[in-house]
Amino acid sequence: MSDQKLDVQQEHQQYIEPLGDWARSHDCCTLTAADTGAEVCLMGWVQYRRDHGGLIFVDLRDRQGLTQIVFSPDVNPAAHERAHVIRSEYVLAIRGTVRPRPEGMTNPGMKTGEIEVYVSEWKLLNTSKTPAFVIEDRTEASENLRLQYRYLDLRRPRMANNFIVRHKAAQATRRYLDELGFLEIETPYLTKSTPEGARDFLVPSRLNQGQFYALPQSPQLFKQLLMMSGMERYYQIVRCFRDEDMRADRQLEFTQIDIEMSFVDEEQVMAMAEGLMARVFRDALDREIATPFPRMSYDDAMARYGVDKPDTRFGLELQDVTHIVRGSNFKLFATAELVKAMRVPGGETMTRKEIDEFTEFVKIYGAQGLAWIKIRPDEWQSPIAKFLSDAERAGLKEALGLETGDIVFFQAGAPGMVNAALGNLRVRLGEHLGLIDENAFNFLWVTDFPLFEYDEEEKRYVACHHPFTSPKDGHMDVMVENPAAARARAYDMVLNGYELGGGSIRNHTAEKQRRMFAALGFSPEEAEAQFGFLTQALEMGAPPHGGIAFGMDRLAMLLTGSSSIRDVIAFPKTQKATCLLTQAPDNVSARQLRDLGLRLRETGKEAAPKAPASTDTPQG
RNA sequence: GGAGCCGUAGUUAAGACGGUUAUAACGCCGGCCUGUCACGCCGGAGGCCGAGGGUUCGAGUCCCUUCGGCUCCGCCA
């Protein structure tokens, strides 16, 4: 019964002792045979207890690792006797002697496996209820439980290591940028809501009732203002906030390495960024990264990979075959705006079931279906083979370099859908077929981004990067005549298919910036009201400047091989934007609302305080 | 706003064809054990089958609703 368990743990509380003047001499991962004979003091948590009645072995865990400690009646009978109460996750302080393990008793699987510490005296610093799940890497508790008992989850070595690596990456960043003369400067969290971009988090103002601050989506405007302030080189490892739906690699609040430089062009920013990555990978993972990184234009990326953040760890490139099938008897191909193909070498052995799965997969992106051709020695096996003329077959074979044993997938329709469907199918196939080297870090710059993209909802062009990005030389005029063709002085750093960072050279004259606002459909009055402080600053000696920002969480995720940024954020939120540990967000008192001049709209469901998830849920 | 997967002892899962008392492993509790290391052996406790409603003589199982976790589309300058 759970009552029994509770009783045991409660009964053991009488043995808890204060720390007194004890101090740790080592952590639980450093002792070796070279320390034989040393008197040491260790403190940590009980990972495993192996009570033999006579001898008691305990694996003591701290942030760094494990050390086996031994309670023996031969060393201190009283200390040994007391040790029978020890349970999982109890917190111990021990003093003892380092001894080499007896012949044949070493544990090569353990960093400290050649030694053990014989306990001469020990203190129980705290007891522990039986944890909701065992603290170890190999048993995965559900994410639900892990988030509810996050402090237990973070004790797992894998998680602890994630934060060690993340810390090293952050420290490497600070060292590198400091050496290059960057100043770490803080910017406001309570700031002004601006149009464009993500949904803002708003904070009501008590002293200015009816008005709101916005939490920054990024410190973009402030870092540019710091350039206008003559700071020349700025950086900040800074929290950003965007009230949008979450994904495995997106949280409401996330951390950017935010950087801005004066008197530079793209080349200097990119070289600085490559050096930063090289330093981070060296200091955090002891890995050397080759620089400079390869580059690819946005148009090339979309043409060859269907996405603007290609994973270049494997092939399976896309090809435009529209011109080959233009006159086809297959009506869909003949009339589609874009027809693209992806050749999968050796894919002829795919089963109908697999193909059906991929067909379902591309429907997510709006595809109606998925055409395919298996290249067999004797024939082309395909639902669409009968529509293809000899000339079309020859054209496809030549263009795609088809060989016996291949399968080719086709997607036809609107370019956005075709690229999304095939581009994402490509990644899925890369995983499915095991084409991805999990050990590789493939960096890539994507350049020459469009300045604008058309927003179907708003029926107007919006900035692809952000409204402060400078058009490429000569594109100021293109911008007006043909907005879709204008290109920006923007660049994204891509790593293994993730957008790791992005930046641009900014407009540094007020005139250019005003033309940009006009192109985005702002009236001069609107531009003045929203961004007047910026254009005014640009009129007072703004230097040429540009910068970049990296997703710190994504960087840490990739450095640690994690599959979600939640594994590198200490206290993340769920997909429904709640914190299972603290139960945030929660209702507030009528008094708090009154102070802010706010009244809640009637919603039908009464705002009652949330019940705790269970009696075990920590409160206060 | 939408699609998919998942909720069963503390945990991870099995049970799905509607039919005795809902299984297993690990964990937990008690006992034995001086060389274990995910110790071993013996014994034991532990369940609102996420919640609510319905169909039925009978629901973990079928139907409806709802809550929660995850993945994805839309969204994310």
Side-chain angles (χ1 to χ4, degrees):
Chain A
M1 282 157 68
S2 59
D3 287 353
Q4 256 174 355
K5 271 187 264 174
L6 229 150
D7 287 346
V8 168
Q9 178 261 336
Q10 274 183 343
E11 186 197 319
H12 291 170
Q13 286 180 5
Q14 66 182 295
Y15 302 117
I16 295 175
E17 291 178 75
L19 189 56
D21 62 352
W22 286 32
R24 295 161 101 179
S25 66
H26 296 78
D27 66 46
C28 288
C29 115
T30 51
L31 294 171
T32 66
D35 299 296
T36 297
E39 295 293 324
V40 299
C41 176
L42 304 178
M43 299 186 192
W45 289 260
V46 174
Q47 179 67 40
Y48 303 113
R49 167 191 66 135
R50 294 177 292 278
D51 188 339
H52 289 230
L55 280 180
I56 301 172
F57 298 96
V58 166
D59 290 338
L60 196 67
R61 184 194 70 238
D62 65 16
R63 193 176 84 188
Q64 312 290 339
L66 293 174
T67 298
Q68 173 165 286
I69 60 178
V70 187
F71 297 86
S72 166
D74 304 335
V75 174
N76 181 338
H80 169 262
E81 182 55 34
R82 274 198 304 133
H84 288 297
V85 306
I86 290 171
R87 298 288 186 278
S88 285
E89 299 307 312
Y90 279 23
V91 188
L92 308 184
I94 65 113
R95 281 176 169 168
T97 312
V98 179
R99 296 196 198 170
R101 296 200 191 179
E103 192 70 27
M105 299 298 161
T106 59
N107 184 345
M110 221 169 149
K111 229 175 189 171
T112 57
E114 46 182 20
I115 58 98
E116 57 199 357
V117 177
Y118 268 71
V119 177
S120 52
E121 44 179 341
W122 69 280
K123 289 180 173 184
L124 178 63
L125 298 179
N126 210 345
T127 60
S128 170
K129 287 186 181 179
T130 303
F133 50 91
V134 183
I135 313 295
E136 53 191 8
D137 286 342
R138 66 196 162 76
T139 47
E140 276 290 279
S142 71
E143 187 118 14
N144 204 326
L145 264 191
R146 292 176 55 200
L147 292 173
Q148 193 180 340
Y149 299 98
R150 190 58 164 177
Y151 43 89
L152 297 181
D153 191 36
L154 296 181
R155 287 184 199 165
R156 295 161 63 225
R158 153 103 216 196
M159 293 297 282
N161 183 62
N162 285 355
F163 289 93
I164 293 169
V165 169
R166 182 175 175 140
H167 163 80
K168 286 180 178 172
Q171 291 308 309
T173 299
R174 292 201 160 95
R175 279 193 297 270
Y176 175 79
L177 293 172
D178 175 57
E179 286 164 18
L180 292 183
F182 285 83
L183 302 180
E184 182 171 8
I185 302 174
E186 294 177 80
T187 53
Y189 279 168
L190 296 173
T191 179
K192 182 182 166 75
S193 179
T194 53
E196 308 279 297
R199 197 176 289 115
D200 282 323
F201 277 100
L202 297 178
V203 179
S205 168
R206 178 180 59 87
L207 295 176
N208 303 276
Q209 293 204 349
Q211 297 191 310
F212 295 82
Y213 304 97
L215 302 180
Q217 297 175 28
S218 80
Q220 183 60 38
L221 287 164
F222 289 107
K223 71 173 173 177
Q224 289 189 234
L225 287 163
L226 286 169
M227 296 303 101
M228 296 157 209
S229 309
M231 292 297 166
E232 297 188 18
R233 292 184 161 211
Y234 142 94
Y235 84 98
Q236 192 181 183
I237 297 178
V238 63
R239 197 67 58 84
C240 304
F241 307 85
R242 294 178 190 175
D243 190 5
E244 298 290 350
D245 288 359
M246 279 180 275
R247 292 286 189 280
D249 64 347
R250 278 166 32 190
Q251 282 270 310
L252 298 179
E253 43 181 321
F254 61 99
T255 304
Q256 280 189 351
I257 302 170
D258 196 46
I259 301 174
E260 195 77 1
M261 312 165 76
S262 292
F263 310 116
V264 294
D265 64 9
E266 293 90 323
E267 294 303 325
Q268 288 156 286
V269 177
M270 290 161 89
M272 177 281 301
E274 287 167 346
L276 172 61
M277 287 300 117
R279 172 69 78 90
V280 164
F281 274 72
R282 188 179 307 137
D283 288 4
L285 290 190
D286 206 19
R287 275 187 67 143
E288 293 303 317
I289 296 297
T291 57
F293 302 157
R295 298 188 188 188
M296 189 182 296
S297 74
Y298 169 87
D299 289 341
D300 266 2
M302 293 305 292
R304 293 167 58 190
Y305 298 95
V307 295
D308 63 0
K309 44 185 169 73
D311 188 340
T312 56
R313 287 175 298 175
F314 63 103
L316 302 185
E317 292 190 20
L318 278 41
Q319 285 196 59
D320 186 340
V321 295
T322 314
H323 58 287
I324 299 173
V325 297
R326 188 74 299 169
S328 175
N329 287 327
F330 189 36
K331 225 180 185 175
L332 179 63
F333 279 13
T335 58
E337 189 180 342
L338 178 66
V339 184
K340 287 179 98 167
M342 174 171 50
R343 168 182 169 250
V344 183
E348 190 265 329
T349 53
M350 269 181 207
T351 64
R352 190 57 200 244
K353 195 180 160 196
E354 285 174 298
I355 296 174
D356 285 347
E357 265 178 43
F358 299 140
T359 305
E360 285 307 305
F361 178 75
V362 295
K363 285 180 180 172
I364 294 171
Y365 302 95
Q368 298 296 309
L370 180 66
W372 53 273
I373 300 173
K374 285 181 173 178
I375 313 299
R376 296 202 151 148
D378 44 335
E379 55 157 2
W380 283 18
Q381 190 206 349
S382 164
I384 63 165
K386 59 176 180 274
F387 298 112
L388 299 173
S389 68
D390 288 346
E392 284 158 4
R393 288 176 184 233
L396 288 174
K397 185 172 180 184
E398 158 123 39
L400 298 169
L402 296 180
E403 289 178 24
T404 302
D406 293 348
I407 190 170
V408 191
F409 291 108
F410 295 88
Q411 201 55 245
M417 182 279 291
V418 169
N419 281 321
L422 276 188
N424 286 291
L425 177 62
R426 174 183 170 270
V427 174
R428 168 114 180 190
L429 281 170
E431 291 162 0
H432 183 80
L433 300 171
L435 302 177
I436 298 174
D437 177 359
E438 298 290 346
N439 224 0
F441 289 106
N442 277 27
F443 284 93
L444 176 74
W445 285 111
V446 176
T447 61
D448 303 295
F449 274 84
L451 191 58
F452 304 115
E453 58 191 349
Y454 193 72
D455 187 317
E456 291 291 344
E457 230 169 86
E458 299 201 25
K459 302 291 177 207
R460 67 177 180 99
Y461 282 94
V462 299
C464 203
H465 187 58
H466 56 56
F468 320 108
T469 301
S470 173
K472 288 184 97 72
D473 287 350
H475 284 234
M476 226 3 139
D477 297 322
V478 179
M479 181 170 97
V480 180
E481 294 149 18
N482 181 6
R487 287 294 178 266
R489 296 180 70 179
Y491 32 82
D492 274 4
M493 186 189 285
V494 175
L495 173 55
N496 293 356
Y498 285 91
E499 182 195 329
L500 193 58
S504 64
I505 301 301
R506 331 294 185 188
N507 297 310
H508 77 280
T509 66
E511 191 256 338
K512 271 187 154 183
Q513 188 57 56
R514 287 202 181 97
R515 288 184 66 181
M516 187 73 180
F517 287 141
L520 287 166
F522 287 88
S523 71
E525 294 72 29
E526 285 168 337
E528 179 60 27
Q530 292 296 341
F531 300 110
F533 64 95
L534 177 72
T535 37
Q536 193 175 8
L538 289 171
E539 284 171 329
M540 299 191 204
H545 61 287
I548 192 166
F550 296 94
M552 184 74 201
D553 312 283
R554 285 182 192 169
L555 177 60
M557 175 180 87
L558 292 163
L559 284 168
T560 57
S562 304
S563 53
S564 162
I565 61 171
R566 290 188 303 278
D567 281 358
V568 295
I569 295 173
F571 302 103
K573 296 194 173 44
T574 69
Q575 199 166 48
K576 285 232 171 79
T578 66
C579 172
L580 296 181
L581 178 64
T582 62
Q583 299 297 309
D586 209 341
N587 303 308
V588 296
S589 69
R591 168 70 186 271
Q592 285 172 296
L593 289 175
R594 200 169 61 234
D595 284 352
L596 294 167
L598 296 180
R599 193 169 59 223
L600 294 180
R601 238 173 27 170
E602 300 297 329
T603 55
K605 45 184 174 184
E606 193 42 54
K610 283 181 192 173
S614 81
T615 50
D616 287 339
T617 301
Q619 297 292 311

